[in-house]
Amino acid sequence: MWIFVGRAFFAGSALLINILLSRVLDTAAFGAYLMAFNIAFFGGVFGTLGLNQSIIRFMAEHRENGTWRRAKNTALLSLKLASIGAAGTGLLYIFLQLTLLKGVLGSELMASAALWTGLWIMLTVLQNLIAETFRGHGDVKQATLFSGVLSNFCMLVGLGLMMWLGRSSWSLQEALLLVTVCMGASCFIAGWRLLKLLQVRNWQQTNEAAMSNEPRARQLLAVSLPMMASNVALFMLTSSDIWILGVFYSESEVAIYGAAVRLMAVLNFFVVLMNTLMTSIISKYFGSAQFPKIQNYGRIIVGISTLPAIVIGAVFIVMGEQVLNLAFGTTYGSGQTILAVLSVGQLINLFAGPSGLLLTLTGNERTMLKITLITSVVTVIAAVTVVYLWGPFALAIVMVCGLFAQNGWMWVEVRRKLGISVHFNPVDLVRQLIRLAGRNKNLEQQVRIKGASYK
């Protein structure tokens, strides 16, 4: 329930923040803001070095084995490495934006906001790692709170307060300043809570034999860097369209395209929810090789996640212009065809199920990396070609085709390597729910019989 509520609030608040910013920023500034957001998101993926995923695995293993001191040292070492990654990535972006990229991405607007965007990258890295460290420790509440919920809440409060005071027109720098202040506050509180957790008495070493085997940076990076490479390739496959559009078109065109992309947060919520629920299912049954249970529970989760998304996606496809006009203003209604195409892409992502997650969490991360690298390279090359010749609508079609190719290839590999297929199947969903209900009914009857016998 914490995960569901947290994800729902994060998705809804992120969309609301973008809607409010589209009202106080002019079209060019809003387009530049969306590019800065995309850059910060990519910087967060690259700067964490994959440690935000590997830390969950390491912390869970140490917690299971009772090696608390090693878990503490692993968390601290990961935090140090991520801090280096954050500083290096943020400073590198600032340097590149003020020199080589000044005439490529967003021109003067992006250059004027380079410092704030660099800080945004650094804070994103720290926020991602700290939240996932809590998750690895089993503290779902704090992991949910510090994975964007608290910073988005502060952002909404700040936006609402400024608009209530009569500030109806903002500059790009003011918007990015508010972002960095809110994320900085969230990271400060999260870091303080994490250090407090690592200092409690029960982190003493309970397995003395493990004391001589302290974690090393090379060991952590050997696991995390392939994950980072896969995440970077996945970003290029799913989110590089804003960058590509920004190279060839003005910030105003980027804003219209980006408004449709931001509405995808509603559908992406169901993808995130599906993957979050499937993570626990895979972790529970993979160790004992209970693949049929992963498939059965997986199809139920995919079905429940996909059904409401189909309804929302249909609204976006049929009434795209009205939705964009209502959310962002009449300037953005022209992005209706782009919204329809991107909605189809997100529905394909849901129909295919959590194939990428299954490969990553079952020791097939190299297969996942190969698939994502090949499809992302082909997609980016095709996207650069078509956007120059035919514009944003063609770009959206290419991105969806790339997503379709990746999901289809991953589904085939899951079927080949694990012998299961976890995808959307409405008939199988009904069958699994009926079977699960019957099993629960039999369990209740057994409990009643045992209770009566005991009495």
Side-chain angles (χ1 to χ4, degrees):
M1 184 58 68
W2 264 95
I3 293 171
F4 176 80
V5 173
R7 294 297 186 185
F9 177 82
F10 179 80
S13 61
L15 178 60
L16 183 56
I17 287 169
N18 282 277
I19 290 173
L20 292 176
L21 285 174
S22 71
R23 304 289 181 170
V24 298
L25 295 171
D26 60 52
T27 309
F30 184 59
Y33 171 84
L34 292 176
M35 279 195 287
F37 172 85
N38 229 35
I39 290 168
F41 181 71
F42 174 77
V45 171
F46 186 82
T48 50
L49 308 174
L51 292 164
N52 57 320
Q53 289 181 295
S54 63
I55 191 65
I56 299 176
R57 168 181 162 184
F58 288 127
M59 293 289 286
E61 288 177 355
H62 296 320
R63 185 159 52 93
E64 184 72 20
N65 297 330
T67 51
W68 296 108
R69 180 177 173 181
R70 195 173 181 209
K72 172 184 175 180
N73 293 339
T74 301
L76 291 174
L77 179 57
S78 297
L79 191 58
K80 292 177 183 177
L81 293 173
S83 299
I84 296 171
T89 307
L91 293 174
L92 177 63
Y93 167 75
I94 294 172
F95 172 75
L96 291 176
Q97 182 61 67
L98 294 177
T99 54
L100 300 178
L101 299 178
K102 188 174 182 180
V104 179
L105 280 178
S107 189
E108 294 298 330
L109 265 177
M110 291 300 296
S112 65
L115 175 61
W116 299 115
T117 308
L119 290 173
W120 195 352
I121 291 172
M122 298 179 194
L123 292 171
T124 301
V125 171
L126 295 177
Q127 179 175 269
N128 289 345
L129 182 70
I130 294 172
E132 297 312 306
T133 303
F134 279 117
R135 197 181 310 280
H137 182 58
D139 194 334
V140 176
K141 293 182 180 180
Q142 295 200 83
T144 302
L145 181 64
F146 297 125
S147 60
V149 171
L150 179 58
S151 57
N152 276 12
F153 175 77
C154 294
M155 186 77 178
L156 281 177
V157 171
L159 274 169
L161 181 61
M162 296 299 291
M163 295 178 74
W164 180 69
L165 292 174
R167 289 294 307 277
S168 59
S169 180
W170 289 34
S171 67
L172 175 62
Q173 288 78 6
E174 288 173 329
L176 295 180
L177 172 61
L178 181 60
V179 170
T180 53
V181 169
C182 294
M183 290 196 67
S186 175
C187 287
F188 177 80
I189 297 172
W192 171 68
R193 294 289 300 168
L194 179 61
L195 291 177
K196 188 176 180 181
L197 173 68
L198 297 179
Q199 290 171 357
V200 296
R201 187 174 298 177
N202 69 336
W203 285 90
Q204 61 185 347
Q205 183 72 34
T206 56
N207 187 346
E208 297 297 332
M211 291 185 64
S212 59
N213 190 19
E214 292 295 334
R216 296 181 179 180
R218 182 180 299 178
Q219 295 172 332
L220 299 183
L221 294 176
V223 175
S224 63
L225 287 180
M227 295 181 179
M228 181 205 73
S230 181
N231 290 335
V232 168
L234 185 61
F235 173 89
M236 299 305 294
L237 177 64
T238 59
S239 303
S240 63
D241 46 357
I242 295 287
W243 291 6
I244 296 170
L245 197 64
V247 172
F248 296 100
Y249 289 84
S250 67
E251 291 91 342
S252 298
E253 290 285 348
V254 173
I256 294 172
Y257 187 96
V261 171
R262 296 316 300 155
L263 275 177
M264 288 303 98
V266 180
L267 295 178
N268 190 56
F269 160 71
F270 297 101
V271 178
V272 173
L273 179 64
M274 175 183 70
N275 287 334
T276 303
L277 294 174
M278 279 302 299
T279 298
S280 60
I281 295 295
I282 296 169
S283 301
K284 182 176 182 180
Y285 294 113
F286 173 67
S288 53
Q290 299 184 59
F291 295 113
K293 286 192 175 182
I294 294 177
Q295 176 175 282
N296 294 338
Y297 285 118
R299 289 189 179 182
I300 293 174
I301 290 172
V302 171
I304 294 173
S305 302
T306 304
L307 288 175
I310 292 174
V311 177
I312 298 172
V315 173
F316 286 169
I317 293 170
V318 176
M319 303 176 62
E321 183 177 3
Q322 293 86 336
V323 172
L324 285 167
N325 287 339
L326 179 65
F328 297 99
T330 54
T331 307
Y332 299 90
S334 58
Q336 57 177 323
T337 54
I338 295 170
L339 178 61
V341 172
L342 295 178
S343 298
V344 172
Q346 283 298 322
L347 291 177
I348 289 173
N349 207 12
L350 279 163
F351 289 162
S355 300
L357 190 69
L358 281 163
L359 290 174
T360 302
L361 296 183
T362 56
N364 296 292
E365 56 272 358
R366 294 189 180 276
T367 301
M368 173 67 179
L369 176 59
K370 180 182 73 172
I371 294 171
T372 310
L373 272 177
I374 294 174
T375 52
S376 63
V377 169
V378 174
T379 301
V380 169
I381 293 173
V384 171
T385 304
V386 302
V387 74
Y388 179 73
L389 296 175
W390 295 295
F393 178 68
L395 173 63
I397 291 178
V398 168
M399 298 302 293
V400 169
C401 289
L403 200 61
F404 178 79
Q406 186 217 24
N407 278 282
W409 191 354
M410 290 190 303
W411 186 90
V412 170
E413 288 297 327
V414 168
R415 183 74 178 173
R416 187 173 70 87
K417 292 181 176 295
L418 304 180
I420 60 176
S421 56
V422 181
H423 57 270
F424 178 66
N425 186 331
V427 176
D428 189 63
L429 172 63
V430 174
R431 188 185 301 120
Q432 294 293 343
L433 289 174
I434 292 173
R435 184 182 303 168
L436 189 62
R439 189 181 304 165
N440 289 338
K441 187 175 180 180
N442 292 334
L443 183 61
E444 289 177 2
Q445 290 176 350
Q446 292 176 12
V447 169
R448 291 195 193 99
I449 293 172
K450 288 183 180 180
S453 174
Y454 175 75
K455 290 179 179 179

